[in-house]
Amino acid sequence: MQPKDIVAQFIADIRAQRLDEARTLLVAEGFEYVGPNMRFLSPDDMLSYQFGMVAIQKDLVLRQLSADGEHVFAILDYQTHFEPIGDVRLAVWFRVRDNKIQTVEAFYNAAVVENMLGGNLPSATC
C-alpha cells in the first residue's frame, strides 16, 4: 500500500472505533506522537488515550488527504457529543516508513481540548 492509503485506512479505523485494526498500521518500535499538549512514545499509549475519547466522538470527518512521498497530511473535523466544545479542527502530519506509520504530529487548538477534559490531560511524555 502507498503511504496515503495506509493513513486513509488508519483514519477510517479510528473513525469506526476499530482501534485494534488501527494499531496494526503503527510501528512497534520508534513510534512518536506529538500534539500541542501531549506526547506519546508508544502506539499503545496513544491508542489508550484515543479509546478514552471514543465516548465523546460523534464522527471524524476527513476533509483533505494529500501525500508527498512518505509524508501524508490530513485535515480532519473531530465532531463530538460534547456540546460546549462541538467540533475540533485538526491538521495531522504522518510519516510512513516500511508500510507502517512511524510518526504522527497533530496540530489543533489545545485550549479547546484542555477545557473539554477539565484540564486532565495525560502527562507530557507517556
Side-chain angles (χ1 to χ4, degrees):
M1 279 199 304
Q2 294 296 313
K4 185 175 178 180
D5 299 326
I6 292 167
V7 170
Q9 184 61 53
F10 178 79
I11 292 169
D13 288 342
I14 295 294
R15 179 176 187 242
Q17 301 176 8
R18 297 185 304 253
L19 301 182
D20 288 339
E21 288 88 344
R23 173 65 179 91
T24 66
L25 300 170
L26 304 173
V27 297
E29 299 293 323
F31 176 81
E32 182 177 31
Y33 167 91
V34 178
N37 52 7
M38 64 190 74
R39 181 175 180 223
F40 298 107
L41 299 177
S42 159
D44 294 325
D45 289 342
M46 182 196 74
L47 289 172
S48 291
Y49 173 75
Q50 183 64 39
F51 180 76
M53 300 295 285
V54 164
I56 64 165
Q57 179 182 318
K58 184 188 310 182
D59 201 0
L60 185 62
V61 178
L62 178 61
R63 296 178 58 198
Q64 177 71 38
L65 187 66
S66 59
D68 181 9
E70 68 182 14
H71 301 276
V72 181
F73 308 91
I75 304 296
L76 305 157
D77 284 330
Y78 185 80
Q79 298 176 347
T80 75
H81 293 289
F82 195 71
E83 287 300 320
I85 300 304
D87 302 342
V88 178
R89 186 158 293 149
L90 307 165
V92 187
W93 173 20
F94 298 86
R95 189 170 69 207
V96 179
R97 289 201 173 149
D98 299 323
N99 293 316
K100 298 280 185 174
I101 297 169
Q102 182 174 13
T103 61
V104 180
E105 190 166 352
F107 304 87
Y108 55 87
N109 182 346
V112 170
V113 176
E114 274 189 44
N115 290 337
M116 180 171 52
L117 299 175
N120 296 322
L121 291 172
S123 61
T125 303
C126 293

